Amino acid sequence: MSVLLIEAFYGGSHKQLMDLLQEELQEDCVLCTLPAKKWHWKARTAALYFMQTVPTSTNYRILFASSVLNLAELAALRPDLGKLKKVLYFHENQLAYPVQKCQERDFQYGYNQILSCLVADVVVFNSAFNMESFLTSIGKFMKLIPDHRPKDLEKIIRPKCQVLYFPVRFPDVSRFMPEHKLAHLEKVIGVKRNGDAYRLEGLPGQQKSRALGGLMKNSDAHHESGLCEAQPGLCTSQHEGLPSPLTAPAGLNKSEPSESTNPCQEEDKQHLTFNLSNILSGRDYQQRPLHVAWPHRWEHDKDPETFFKVLLKLKEKDLPFHVSVLGEAFTEIPDIFSEAKKALGSSVLHWGYLPSKDDYFQALCLADVVISTAKHEFFGVAMVEAVHCGCYPLCPKALVYPEIFPAEYLYSTPEQLFKRLQNFCKRPDIVRKHLYKGETAGFSWAALGGKFRSLLAAEPREDL
């Protein structure tokens, strides 16, 4: 076990990455974690906990941890671990996080990340936006210190830094797709029906992965004119489990218990999941109203207020649509959710967290459009997964999104978002005929796995 994996906030995309690495490294690693609760306390005290709980071993060569951990403290408290090759992975950074209320005590969280970078041997970010927003904010951030400020920290840290996108293991979701999405797959990448299963014909393995990851690339389709307690910045999709190849649904009306499910969402689960399954039958799918999905954490940094204002404006104009509000809620739920649920009424198809991965991916496959209104995003696993499920993405023209999605899927203002959705509500066939022009294969484990393996390759050191 040459690789020591440490995760101080074992939830969301943090858990997803650690589980994937552990699965790939198997017996060559040991994983030490703390649960995804009370983030501020984990960030401040995890090093002391791991000092006492990480087993000693002469076999360790690599220490891989997320930036929640204060790596400087752990290296000082455990000199044996400080000698290892230390890799720090940033899912998010605290220098660019939009706090609701600026307080002096919050300085420590960004400061901890800077200290961790200084002691790390390699600093890895999940996007170029994450890296640049962190590095270019260090100078301004350090000016918060009243006097005797350290200098040139960006110059010291930058040479250690690199971008390595979050690796998504895309599941086979073809069994969940409605006919028009399957037709896209058949047309573009040669998916052939075989009873209830689908297979890719005439494509070597790597091309199959790229085809399924990108879904539909460089199409000739016309361009449409209408066209709780989570860590601040935690890059969380609707589910926390690692996506895996899916089996047949075990019944949409059944939901598995989950420790992370919020009781405020529990009351609606059975009824609304049943409604979700109802849209599999009945009138022709192309005649159904536009189906909008919002698969994000129920917290202020995802800006649910803007999302619901746009939907309510559509409803005021008597435009037909359905909405599935997915994502996980934690201790404190913004008031807008209960208000919006009541106001949206029968437009709601699903409301709340789906602990079953099958149910979650099926919900995305049945949606037409996936929307982000985030004020903060450093990668966006949920949006990439939704595109893999055939959704048309609409994202802010800011943050990481221009790095991930082509320009036609970006909007600059809530009014632009409203106009795009207004057009799609009137003509849902526009998005149902659309072939996604971007590429998601580059974010797959198939594409990134080799780079992660190289990063975690043991390097012999004389002092070990």
Side-chain angles (χ1 to χ4, degrees):
M1 50 180 186
S2 64
V3 180
L4 174 60
L5 304 173
I6 297 181
E7 181 51 68
F9 198 84
Y10 188 56
S13 60
H14 292 229
K15 180 180 186 297
Q16 209 168 327
L17 178 60
M18 288 299 185
D19 287 351
L20 195 158
L21 294 177
Q22 185 180 38
E23 181 182 334
E24 291 294 325
L25 295 170
Q26 297 183 357
E27 295 181 2
D28 194 35
C29 73
V30 58
L31 173 62
C32 300
T33 68
L34 278 168
K37 297 178 180 179
K38 299 188 181 299
W39 172 82
H40 294 90
W41 284 101
K42 297 299 191 300
R44 195 66 204 94
T45 64
L48 191 57
Y49 172 82
F50 288 124
M51 177 199 77
Q52 296 183 331
T53 57
V54 171
T56 57
S57 174
T58 57
N59 294 323
Y60 298 148
R61 293 295 182 270
I62 311 288
L63 191 164
F64 181 94
S66 78
S67 61
V68 177
L69 174 71
N70 188 321
L71 188 57
E73 290 180 344
L74 183 61
L77 293 167
R78 284 284 299 269
D80 59 319
L81 303 182
K83 294 178 181 180
L84 306 178
K85 174 186 174 183
K86 297 173 290 298
V87 180
L88 188 69
Y89 192 86
F90 274 73
H91 293 267
E92 59 284 313
N93 78 75
Q94 295 304 308
L95 304 193
Y97 181 75
V99 295
Q100 287 181 293
K101 182 180 180 182
C102 186
Q103 302 180 73
E104 283 190 6
R105 68 185 184 190
D106 291 331
F107 177 84
Q108 62 184 308
Y109 302 112
Y111 184 70
N112 286 350
Q113 291 188 327
I114 293 172
L115 291 181
S116 294
C117 288
L118 291 170
V119 301
D121 297 296
V122 184
V123 182
V124 185
F125 293 83
N126 62 356
S127 67
F129 168 74
N130 193 359
M131 183 176 75
E132 290 302 323
S133 65
F134 178 80
L135 293 174
T136 58
S137 297
I138 292 176
K140 180 180 179 181
F141 182 79
M142 298 308 288
K143 288 181 181 179
L144 295 172
I145 301 175
D147 52 30
H148 296 87
R149 304 181 186 107
K151 298 179 181 178
D152 300 324
L153 295 182
E154 180 186 346
K155 292 181 181 179
I156 297 171
I157 295 171
R158 183 176 284 276
K160 304 179 180 185
C161 298
Q162 61 177 272
V163 174
L164 188 51
Y165 288 116
F166 183 92
V168 181
R169 182 164 280 173
F170 293 112
D172 175 8
V173 294
S174 60
R175 74 194 67 210
F176 297 144
M177 288 184 169
E179 287 296 322
H180 69 279
K181 289 187 179 182
L182 286 172
H184 288 170
L185 290 176
E186 291 176 357
K187 177 180 178 181
V188 178
I189 60 175
V191 176
K192 300 297 182 183
R193 193 182 304 242
N194 180 16
D196 291 331
Y198 293 82
R199 64 183 187 273
L200 295 171
E201 299 288 351
L203 289 178
Q206 186 173 3
Q207 285 179 274
K208 290 180 184 178
S209 173
R210 291 183 62 83
L212 282 172
L215 278 182
M216 288 71 74
K217 182 184 177 186
N218 299 326
S219 74
D220 296 325
H222 66 280
H223 178 77
E224 303 85 8
S225 59
L227 287 155
C228 138
E229 289 172 323
Q231 171 185 358
L234 182 63
C235 181
T236 313
S237 62
Q238 124 83 38
H239 61 94
E240 290 191 356
L242 184 67
S244 57
L246 301 176
T247 56
L252 282 174
N253 295 337
K254 297 180 181 179
S255 57
E256 305 165 12
S258 170
E259 291 182 3
S260 57
T261 301
N262 191 289
C264 298
Q265 296 176 317
E266 191 72 32
E267 59 177 316
D268 300 317
K269 193 174 300 174
Q270 286 190 333
H271 173 65
L272 289 173
T273 305
F274 179 76
N275 284 349
L276 189 64
S277 67
N278 284 346
I279 71 175
L280 289 169
S281 59
R283 57 180 171 166
D284 180 69
Y285 194 92
Q286 296 289 357
Q287 297 177 353
R288 294 191 178 102
L290 184 76
H291 183 178
V292 177
W294 193 83
H296 310 287
R297 277 184 293 106
W298 291 21
E299 293 192 304
H300 79 95
D301 61 298
K302 300 303 181 184
D303 197 7
E305 290 81 4
T306 292
F307 174 69
F308 290 125
K309 284 179 182 177
V310 169
L311 290 194
L312 291 174
K313 190 174 179 180
L314 294 173
K315 197 167 184 69
E316 287 174 6
K317 293 185 175 294
D318 294 322
L319 293 167
F321 67 89
H322 287 149
V323 60
S324 291
V325 179
L326 309 172
E328 193 168 6
F330 295 86
T331 303
E332 297 181 7
I333 301 177
D335 293 338
I336 187 63
F337 283 93
S338 59
E339 297 167 3
K341 179 188 171 187
K342 182 178 180 180
L344 289 169
S346 61
S347 295
V348 175
L349 277 182
H350 180 81
W351 196 268
Y353 178 70
L354 286 169
S356 163
K357 289 179 289 185
D358 281 13
D359 288 355
Y360 173 63
F361 284 113
Q362 182 163 25
L364 291 180
C365 285
L366 295 175
D368 299 307
V369 178
V370 63
I371 293 176
S372 171
T373 46
K375 295 177 181 176
H376 132 274
E377 192 61 80
F378 296 106
F379 181 73
V381 177
M383 293 297 292
V384 174
E385 288 176 336
V387 170
H388 173 71
C389 292
C391 293
Y392 186 107
L394 286 173
C395 317
K397 191 177 182 180
L399 308 171
V400 73
Y401 294 118
E403 187 177 341
I404 306 294
F405 299 102
E408 72 175 275
Y409 305 108
L410 309 177
Y411 64 87
S412 298
T413 65
E415 183 61 27
Q416 287 185 6
L417 174 60
F418 168 76
K419 289 180 178 178
R420 297 289 294 276
L421 287 176
Q422 178 179 238
N423 188 45
F424 292 161
C425 286
K426 294 176 180 177
R427 292 280 310 281
D429 61 297
I430 291 177
V431 290
R432 290 168 187 164
K433 293 177 181 177
H434 180 78
L435 302 181
Y436 179 65
K437 296 183 176 67
E439 176 65 86
T440 59
F443 308 121
S444 68
W445 175 254
L448 297 169
K451 296 179 180 179
F452 274 93
R453 292 188 189 95
S454 297
L455 186 68
L456 299 177
E459 298 179 357
R461 293 180 55 162
E462 296 179 359
D463 56 349
L464 291 176

